[in-house]
Amino acid sequence: MSRRSEAGVVIAGGGLAAQRCAETLRKRGFEAPVRIVCAEDEAPYDRPPLSKDVAAGTADGEAVRFRDADWYADNAVELILGRRAAGLDPDARELFLDDDTRLGWDELLIATGAAPRELPMLSGFANAFPLRTLADAGRLRAALAGGSHLVIVGAGFIGQEVAATARRQGVEVTIVEALDVPLAGILGERVGRWIVDLHRDEGVRVLTGAMLESAAGNGRVEELTLAGGEKLECDAVVVGVGVAPAAAWVAGSGLDPAGIATDYAGRTGLPHVYAAGDVSRPFDPRLFDHVRTEHWDAASRQGVAAGAAMLGETPRPPALPSFWSDQYGLRIQYVGHAEGADEIRVCGEPGERDFHVLYQCAGTPVAALTVDRPRELAAMRRLIESSYEGDAVATETYETPTNAPEEAMP
Ligand SMILES: Cc1cc2nc3c(=O)[nH]c(=O)nc-3n(C[C@H](O)[C@H](O)[C@H](O)COP(=O)(O)OP(=O)(O)OC[C@H]3O[C@@H](n4cnc5c(N)ncnc54)[C@H](O)[C@@H]3O)c2cc1C
């Protein structure tokens, strides 16, 4: 269903969730203006290839764009690039930009994603950077092409993928991880140890339970010192210590800058304001809570759901969250909620890099991880979904009758 309007939809943020929302609106016949405001100078692009093909030099910025320039022109989606959303007035239905422009909206989507957490001791060094944007990927590519010693701080999935890509380029890699077993709290100790072994087998030096104490160099980090005194020489440092919602700019609007709570249609507590993707905390009907995910699948689905909800549709409850990671030619996939699992069953040969892990809680499957078994994921998903069948799946929808379409397009 479409509606007639002057102001139309404004989307703050120009990544995956933003793109999916704009596509959904146009596909379903919405004819009013759609404007995407993005802090980056780039038209919307896909991030997963940044740590894989773009870092390896087998894909460039053009290859990762969701759509070419003609698509935006043909679909009348206006891109306002290089501009930041700086605030909003929900009563006046205005978005403030960093150049003092004000954009009026009928419906607003907040899709500003997440920003990498910083390590203050490394800020200011030209060769220490996170990996979130195409510009970051360009710096990483240059560092890898130089063949060098790369230090990665943090053994999360981004750090792991960078390590895998760098090793394939013949770069010497050290990972510095503060935890004794990376990702143990999410995936369990056994899987965390397997991840460490995988990288060590590929020639990565993985230092666990290791804390950075200081960084030295003249404009560029040349040497890192760990607590305990060990020194690491380096040519570049990738900081992969997690991300936080890029939502400081909503402070004072009534929304939470620590992650914007929504129902599963993306509606926030403010009429006409939606949020989707890494910036949001949608209500998860299985966990009875608002939960933030930082994965492609969720951002894509949430962007579509928000677009549909703007048109008055009620999306179905969300699928189980899932993600994938590609390392050393292996595809690692995960589905469900392993938090709170009290039993972990491993099936297959972890040493052969061919296995799956089923996470159970009180005998009920709640999550699964597969390694190099892409065909198993759908069956795992069905198994876990079926364990929720018969349970009342909780729903939470905000009372937002003013979001209903005011007028159908002729
Ligand atoms: C290197 C990398 C590899 C990844 N690999 C995988 C993977 O293999 N599998 C997987 O499931 N997930 C992966 N992800 C995660 C996935 O890409 C993200 O979950 C997804 O991009 C989130 O989409 P989003 O639209 O919410 O945010 P983003 O894609 O981050 O887009 C948000 C956009 O908003 C802009 N912005 C920020 N603040 C403002 C502001 N105030 N005003 C205007 N614009 C603003 C940002 O510059 C950005 O362009 C990866 C992420 C990265 C960074």
Side-chain angles (χ1 to χ4, degrees), residues 11-19 37-40 42 44-52 66 83-86 97 111-115 131-133 158 161-162 243 246-247 249 276-280 293-300 302 322-326:
I11 303 176
L16 173 61
Q19 178 67 28
V37 178
C38 187
E40 290 176 70
E42 308 281 350
Y45 62 87
D46 209 12
R47 285 176 211 276
L50 301 185
S51 48
K52 307 167 183 87
F66 291 119
R83 287 276 167 277
R84 284 192 163 272
L97 306 192
T112 42
L131 179 56
R132 184 76 195 177
T133 64
I158 302 280
E161 290 192 349
V162 171
V243 295
W249 64 275
D278 288 5
V279 77
S280 69
T293 48
E294 293 161 8
H295 307 310
W296 194 98
D297 177 59
S300 174
Q302 291 159 9
S322 62
F323 69 80
W324 80 94
S325 176
D326 293 328

Side-chain angles (χ1 to χ4, degrees), residues 17-308:
Q19 178 67 28
R20 290 291 183 258
C21 178
E23 287 175 4
T24 301
L25 290 167
R26 288 303 184 227
K27 264 191 208 153
R28 298 187 192 199
F30 183 76
E31 292 184 8
V34 175
R35 289 175 284 179
I36 294 177
V37 178
C38 187
E40 290 176 70
D41 280 322
E42 308 281 350
Y45 62 87
D46 209 12
R47 285 176 211 276
L50 301 185
S51 48
K52 307 167 183 87
D53 294 343
V54 178
T58 53
D60 61 11
E62 284 306 313
V64 299
R65 296 208 192 291
F66 291 119
R67 304 284 184 172
D68 60 22
D70 289 348
W71 184 89
Y72 296 94
D74 294 347
N75 287 277
V77 172
E78 185 186 352
L79 294 178
I80 302 171
L81 302 178
R83 287 276 167 277
R84 284 192 163 272
L88 73 150
D89 181 340
D91 297 327
R93 292 205 218 172
E94 281 185 335
L95 180 73
F96 313 144
L97 306 192
D98 55 359
D99 62 354
D100 293 335
T101 307
R102 290 174 175 237
L103 300 179
W105 79 76
D106 292 312
E107 317 291 340
L108 172 71
L109 176 69
I110 299 174
T112 42
R117 293 185 199 280
E118 291 180 13
L119 282 181
M121 82 175 70
L122 289 172
S123 60
F125 288 110
N127 58 342
F129 47 86
L131 179 56
R132 184 76 195 177
T133 64
L134 256 175
D136 297 333
R139 296 164 85 186
L140 176 60
R141 176 72 209 125
L144 299 188
S148 54
H149 182 198
L150 179 70
V151 173
I152 299 167
V153 186
F157 280 105
I158 302 280
Q160 291 171 40
E161 290 192 349
V162 171
T165 303
R167 286 302 297 144
R168 290 282 154 110
Q169 308 281 303
V171 170
E172 190 189 336
V173 179
T174 302
I175 296 180
V176 177
E177 166 59 49
L179 296 174
D180 291 333
V181 182
L183 299 172
I186 302 166
L187 301 177
E189 293 224 345
R190 194 157 169 198
V191 173
R193 286 209 180 87
W194 177 82
I195 287 170
V196 170
D197 290 344
L198 171 72
H199 288 273
R200 285 185 177 152
D201 288 350
E202 294 286 343
V204 177
R205 187 163 180 238
V206 185
L207 305 176
T208 54
M211 298 295 292
L212 272 190
E213 195 166 83
S214 63
N218 187 11
R220 298 174 63 81
V221 195
E222 286 157 17
E223 188 178 78
L224 297 166
T225 304
L226 304 182
E230 183 176 348
K231 296 192 183 301
L232 302 174
E233 287 185 5
C234 56
D235 299 296
V237 182
V238 171
V239 181
V241 292
V243 295
W249 64 275
V250 306
S253 68
L255 299 173
D256 185 355
I260 299 171
T262 70
D263 64 11
Y264 56 70
R267 298 184 188 94
T268 69
L270 296 175
H272 305 288
V273 180
Y274 299 74
D278 288 5
V279 77
S280 69
R281 269 191 310 124
F283 184 75
D284 187 309
R286 298 176 184 87
L287 298 182
F288 297 89
D289 202 359
H290 290 94
V291 180
R292 218 165 67 73
T293 48
E294 293 161 8
H295 307 310
W296 194 98
D297 177 59
S300 174
R301 187 167 24 80
Q302 291 159 9
V304 172

